[in-house]
Amino acid sequence: VQLQASGGGLVQPGGSLRLSCAASGSIFGIYEMGWYRRAPGKQSELVARLTSGGNTNYADSVKGRFTISRDSAKNALYLQMNGLKPEDTAVYYCNAHISTNWTTSAYYWGQGTQVTVSS
């Protein structure tokens, strides 16, 4: 199983970016998926999470600005980021709880995509 994240880049404050994460490989089922980020000199933090039932959780710092969504048919996860701030600058990682058969599941991580918010 692999997770491939994309969509990062350099954007001015107030701008928008859309991150994508595609899961591939021997996937039997996907439970929850989420986005995490790690800013320079800081610990990783949860940005947003989406359960298989459709429940969402957002970090307080991104509520109202970021939207997490999923395309189950494509095994894809998205993060629409609007109103970006310099403090959103970080490497963003996608994470997914994936089963490869009836009895085996694990959490997988993508390789990270850099988001830089600067004028």
Side-chain angles (χ1 to χ4, degrees), residues 48-115:
R49 183 173 60 193
L50 175 62
T51 70
S52 57
N55 295 317
T56 58
N57 295 100
Y58 293 93
D60 288 342
S61 59
V62 307
K63 285 180 180 177
R65 299 188 297 122
F66 291 8
T67 303
I68 190 171
S69 62
R70 175 177 170 179
D71 186 334
S72 297
K74 297 181 179 180
N75 290 332
L77 180 71
Y78 306 100
L79 185 67
Q80 179 66 44
M81 304 185 295
N82 299 327
L84 283 162
K85 304 175 181 180
E87 51 264 43
D88 294 318
T89 295
V91 178
Y92 285 70
Y93 299 88
C94 60
N95 172 265
H97 185 198
I98 296 174
S99 64
T100 52
N101 56 48
W102 283 107
T103 60
T104 303
S105 68
Y107 285 89
Y108 295 87
W109 291 90
Q111 84 286 8
T113 184
Q114 176 71 48
V115 172

Side-chain angles (χ1 to χ4, degrees), residues 24-41:
S24 61
S26 299
I27 297 172
F28 182 73
I30 300 180
Y31 305 115
E32 65 178 32
M33 303 182 79
W35 291 96
Y36 291 74
R37 67 185 180 187
R38 180 180 293 170

